[in-house]
Amino acid sequence: MGFVIIHPGELGVSISAHWWIQGSVLCQHIYRRLYSATEPMDTVKRPVIACVWELALINAEQEAWRKTMMKSEPSPSAYMDDRAGFEAA
């Protein structure tokens, strides 16, 4: 289970895919490209995690994950329901 953030910013677009492993570890792949560029940005030389607005979404996801999935009886449906209540940043 996980989530994707698509962020069309002022200078370019960022797309980050996140997924949960081992019960509590969040993994991420990120794609970033300036609108004026033909190739994506190098995420190794510039290891961006997220902008401040994306961090708010990631925080809301981790809170929903802890509340619904990190307990004796994890509930994927409760996780999805909790996520549906997110407010726009």
Side-chain angles (χ1 to χ4, degrees):
M1 295 187 76
F3 56 98
V4 173
I5 298 172
I6 301 171
H7 185 172
E10 189 174 312
L11 300 176
V13 65
S14 294
I15 303 170
S16 56
H18 304 82
W19 64 98
W20 297 99
I21 64 168
Q22 301 170 343
S24 63
V25 176
L26 184 62
C27 297
Q28 177 194 61
H29 277 299
I30 190 165
Y31 170 89
R32 300 182 75 227
R33 186 174 63 81
L34 296 172
Y35 295 128
S36 60
T38 57
E39 296 292 322
M41 297 175 78
D42 184 340
T43 56
V44 173
K45 291 181 182 174
R46 191 167 184 209
V48 171
I49 295 172
C51 82
V52 68
W53 307 113
E54 294 163 354
L55 288 173
L57 294 170
I58 293 167
N59 183 61
E61 286 284 348
Q62 73 85 19
E63 287 180 1
W65 186 263
R66 283 187 309 143
K67 183 170 58 173
T68 61
M69 297 297 291
M70 294 184 67
K71 52 191 206 171
S72 59
E73 292 188 32
S75 176
S77 61
Y79 173 64
M80 296 303 290
D81 289 343
D82 195 296
R83 295 169 70 240
F86 286 180
E87 293 182 26

